[in-house]
Amino acid sequence: MIYLDNAATTLHKPEAVKRAVWDAMETMGSSGRGAYPAALEASRMIYETRELAAEFFGAPSPVSVAFTSNATEALNIAVSGLIRSKDHVICTQMEHNSVLRPLYRKEKEGAQLSILPCGDQGIPDMSKLPELFRKNTRAVICTHASNVTGDLNDIRTAAELCRENGVLFILDTAQTAGSIPIHMGEMKIDVLCFTGHKGLMGPQGTGGICLGEGIRIPAFKTGGSGVHSFDREQPGQGALVLEAGTLNGHGIAGLHEAFSFLKQTTVEAVREKEQKLCSYFCREAARIPGVRLYGNTETKERAAVAALNIRDYDSAAVCDELAEYYGIAVRGGIHCAPLMHRFLGTEKQGAVRFSFSWYNEMEEAEQAVLALREIAG
């Protein structure tokens, strides 16, 4: 199988990631729940992973990082903990339902929501962001890259405008963590939400939220912590107050090795390879009669994601054809990004999404182009 659905999850992982999960299943105790070697080693490994994550994302300290099950949970924590009933919040038309649905729920509780529309080629114009600011604007929440088209948001401009106006900037890095360099301090990001199973090439069921200097979020859930058991409120320093219950230590062990792999390989090297594959694919696909690509596929400043349609063919039918006859795994449909598809005019047809990773090769991109050419013909 040629796997080109990496925007959903990376199927192929570094060998060290797989070994770490297996070893943890064999040896790991419960972090913070004992003073015996298996429990202490679990605590050390989890803290080391916090250190790696803080360094990777430019977070203020290891205790600024709380682990979650994925980016969706991290975004729910951010929205639930930071947006109040009388606040105004802004997001973009690019957003995934993991941003939109928590915000719609906040609207029902009395919060106000504004959506920055897409401009040319489906990219929000951040220079128009100040027009949406109000006296009660609490935060701007946006994705780093569209999970449909791969286009990047201008997050530096957005973060700078937020800082100038005393507004929080919350970033969803689901499509960029691991493949595009990100630094919270340099980019003025107040809250960063990430998932482990995509560009980071870690296990499913892992992710996290990183809090900038001075950002505090109340406990999202409460329960066991292993310490201060007589306290009525959830204990925890910094972001650790967000972690109630036993963590996914086995998954975090894999995430530890994923961060280590990327530190050694470098995000820049990953980005260069993915860009090369995606640029080739987009260039060749655009030459096929009947194929329509979405977004700005001519720039290299994008995630390694390409969405297209072939004439009026249903996107799910094209995906089935690619899988059954060519052994190529891609994703069709709406990709949990309804506003983006509404902008593109693909609410009914959906789109066929190809997404590349470090473990793809040029021969696979070439085979995908050949398959498209045959189907279109």
Side-chain angles (χ1 to χ4, degrees):
M1 178 177 63
I2 296 175
Y3 187 81
L4 298 176
D5 193 21
N6 295 285
T9 192
T10 47
L11 179 66
H12 304 295
K13 314 286 187 182
E15 286 298 319
V17 171
K18 292 182 276 188
R19 286 197 304 270
V21 174
W22 178 261
D23 290 345
M25 294 287 286
E26 290 276 298
T27 63
M28 182 176 287
S30 187
S31 173
R33 269 66 170 182
Y36 49 89
L40 292 174
E41 181 56 32
S43 296
R44 281 192 288 268
M45 182 279 300
I46 289 172
Y47 189 79
E48 286 175 5
T49 311
R50 291 191 207 282
E51 292 180 313
L52 288 169
E55 179 185 4
F56 191 84
F57 292 117
S61 73
V63 296
S64 301
V65 180
F67 292 114
T68 64
S69 58
N70 46 43
T72 297
E73 184 179 19
L75 288 161
N76 271 263
I77 289 171
V79 172
S80 175
L82 293 171
I83 308 304
R84 301 159 301 200
S85 60
K86 294 183 179 180
D87 286 337
H88 171 244
V89 62
I90 303 168
C91 72
T92 78
Q93 200 170 3
M94 270 190 180
E95 303 312 311
H96 188 276
N97 273 335
S98 55
V99 169
L100 294 174
R101 284 175 172 162
L103 290 178
Y104 293 153
R105 184 168 60 184
K106 280 293 179 180
E107 269 194 307
K108 288 184 177 180
E109 297 172 3
Q112 302 160 356
L113 174 63
S114 295
I115 299 174
L116 181 66
C118 289
D120 293 342
Q121 297 178 307
I123 304 172
D125 184 355
M126 289 299 174
S127 69
K128 296 183 178 179
L129 184 60
E131 299 173 13
L132 300 181
F133 284 144
R134 302 176 186 174
K135 289 183 179 180
N136 63 329
T137 301
R138 173 70 168 163
V140 171
I141 306 176
C142 78
T143 185
H144 195 179
S146 168
N147 74 313
V148 179
T149 64
D151 288 320
L152 294 179
N153 262 316
D154 182 3
I155 64 167
R156 289 185 180 272
T157 296
E160 188 65 44
L161 289 168
C162 286
R163 189 62 58 90
E164 290 173 1
N165 288 272
V167 171
L168 295 173
F169 182 60
I170 303 169
L171 186 67
D172 172 9
T173 69
Q175 294 301 325
T176 55
S179 53
I180 294 179
I182 303 168
H183 192 284
M184 292 183 68
E186 294 174 3
M187 296 179 174
K188 299 180 174 62
I189 301 165
D190 294 303
V191 178
L192 181 147
C193 301
F194 71 91
T195 197
H197 69 105
K198 299 187 183 187
L200 291 176
M201 296 182 282
Q204 295 180 5
T206 63
I209 183 169
C210 304
L211 305 183
E213 201 72 57
I215 305 298
R216 297 289 181 269
I217 296 179
F220 181 68
K221 55 186 177 180
T222 58
S225 60
V227 295
H228 299 288
S229 293
F230 286 103
D231 292 357
R232 292 194 172 196
E233 295 185 356
Q234 189 69 25
Q237 179 186 2
L240 307 194
V241 72
L242 302 172
E243 296 177 347
T246 300
L247 291 171
N248 176 15
H250 305 132
I252 294 170
L255 189 60
H256 180 286
E257 292 307 308
F259 280 125
S260 299
F261 175 83
L262 285 166
K263 185 176 181 179
Q264 181 177 5
T265 305
T266 75
V267 174
E268 289 77 12
V270 171
R271 179 162 169 73
E272 183 179 356
K273 182 177 182 180
E274 291 181 352
Q275 280 184 333
K276 183 178 180 180
L277 296 172
C278 194
S279 294
Y280 166 82
F281 175 82
C282 290
R283 183 174 65 250
E284 296 302 315
R287 294 172 178 171
I288 301 172
V291 170
R292 179 184 178 186
L293 284 155
Y294 300 101
N296 185 6
T297 58
E298 295 182 0
T299 180
K300 291 184 177 180
E301 294 303 311
R302 61 197 320 281
V305 176
L308 58 82
N309 274 313
I310 303 175
R311 299 189 179 89
D312 61 350
Y313 299 168
D314 180 75
S315 63
V318 174
C319 291
D320 289 345
E321 186 91 359
L322 286 165
E324 184 173 355
Y325 295 103
Y326 299 94
I328 298 173
V330 295
R331 184 181 174 191
I334 305 301
H335 312 98
C336 305
L339 300 186
M340 195 66 196
H341 278 276
R342 190 169 295 159
F343 172 84
L344 296 173
T346 52
E347 300 103 315
K348 294 182 179 180
Q349 187 179 14
V352 183
R353 184 183 69 187
F354 295 75
S355 46
F356 300 85
S357 88
W358 172 254
Y359 284 102
N360 288 124
E361 301 297 338
M362 184 57 73
E363 291 79 8
E364 294 176 313
E366 291 169 351
Q367 287 298 313
V369 171
L370 289 173
L372 277 180
R373 189 171 288 127
E374 289 189 10
I375 294 172

